Amino acid sequence: MKITKVVQQKNDKNRFSLFSGDEYVGSATAENLSPYGYGEFEISDADFKKLMDQDDLEKATNKCIRYLARAMKTKKEIIDYLYKNKVPVEIHDLIIERLEDLGLIDDKRYLEMYLDERFNYSTDGSLKIKNKLFLKGFSSAEVDPYLEEYRDKEEENLKDLMAATKKTSRGKDKNKMIRYLMNKGYPYPMISDLIGAYFTDD
């Protein structure tokens, strides 16, 4: 294939549009294009495919970086994002590897930060928190050891939640109260240990 024209893009000075005759055939970054130059050049079909594959990788990686700028994400969330944006499956692992090398994906750090935030700044119990983490790609084996570290904090949160509910209708009905607390994600054995004292205090 002969590339007859290389045009710098207006919205991104680091990218160039490639033309063969009057036909637009693709784009590439300055770095990926540098081996061929920025004027006319001949390129084999195989090398052109490699150039386009590399460009797909660059574009998808940069798109993920912009996505991550909004908030930290897990590896599974990034993969879901790649599927949603129809990024070729064969480059998913390369993108994940790049993002990990850049320190933009770190599931262990994400898990630690998420648990700290949920147990300290929400009223959710461990079962609800764990379920949300499942949706983010974490397994029981990864989450359970951390949950043990928060057991005392969870019990403290449960007591605070029960106290805050005292004046509501559910706070005066034991069964309603139990259902409410279970829906918030607190384990039944923990609720059972505290519920008796709660209603005795009334």
Side-chain angles (χ1 to χ4, degrees):
M1 174 187 294
K2 184 173 184 178
I3 301 300
T4 56
K5 188 166 60 174
V6 177
V7 180
Q8 189 176 42
Q9 296 183 356
K10 292 181 180 179
N11 296 329
D12 186 345
K13 300 300 183 183
N14 189 50
R15 296 189 63 79
F16 293 82
S17 298
L18 309 179
F19 295 82
S20 181
D22 293 329
E23 181 185 0
Y24 168 79
V25 292
S27 64
T29 63
E31 181 182 0
N32 293 334
L33 194 56
S34 61
Y36 303 99
Y38 305 96
E40 291 188 8
F41 62 91
E42 292 280 352
I43 185 171
S44 69
D45 289 346
D47 285 343
F48 183 74
K49 183 180 185 307
K50 286 180 184 177
L51 183 62
M52 293 300 98
D53 287 347
Q54 187 64 32
D55 195 60
D56 286 342
L57 178 60
E58 297 283 353
K59 286 190 288 190
T61 301
N62 289 335
K63 196 165 189 174
C64 287
I65 290 172
R66 291 193 294 272
Y67 179 54
L68 283 161
R70 304 175 200 168
M72 195 174 180
K73 303 292 181 183
T74 65
K75 186 186 296 185
K76 179 184 182 298
E77 287 175 315
I78 292 297
I79 291 172
D80 289 345
Y81 179 74
L82 293 173
Y83 275 113
K84 181 180 177 182
N85 284 274
K86 297 180 171 57
V87 174
V89 175
E90 56 268 22
I91 64 172
H92 286 191
D93 288 345
L94 288 172
I95 294 168
I96 294 297
E97 185 178 335
R98 279 191 171 194
L99 296 174
E100 287 179 331
D101 288 344
L102 291 168
L104 297 176
I105 298 179
D106 186 335
D107 277 1
K108 184 176 184 294
R109 183 160 60 96
Y110 183 100
L111 178 58
E112 291 170 349
M113 292 174 64
Y114 186 88
L115 289 169
D116 189 68
E117 178 186 346
R118 299 313 296 172
F119 278 109
N120 285 295
Y121 302 104
S122 84
T123 58
D124 292 341
S126 60
L127 299 180
K128 190 171 184 178
I129 292 171
K130 185 175 179 179
N131 186 58
K132 288 179 179 178
L133 285 168
F134 283 164
L135 299 176
K136 293 175 179 290
F138 293 99
S139 66
S140 290
E142 293 170 308
V143 176
D144 287 348
Y146 286 94
L147 293 182
E148 288 303 317
E149 297 175 17
Y150 285 96
R151 196 61 63 200
D152 290 344
K153 178 60 178 172
E154 182 178 19
E155 186 171 313
E156 179 187 325
N157 290 347
L158 177 56
K159 290 176 181 176
D160 290 344
L161 184 58
M162 291 169 73
T165 313
K166 211 170 186 70
K167 294 181 181 180
T168 67
S169 59
R170 71 168 64 94
K172 301 182 186 303
D173 183 299
K174 186 174 181 179
N175 289 329
K176 283 184 179 179
M177 185 66 149
I178 290 173
R179 285 196 299 273
Y180 170 68
L181 296 174
M182 290 182 70
N183 285 336
K184 292 292 289 181
Y186 290 91
Y188 179 75
M190 185 180 286
I191 297 171
S192 182
D193 286 345
L194 297 175
I195 201 79
Y198 171 86
F199 280 100
T200 300
D201 288 345
D202 272 355

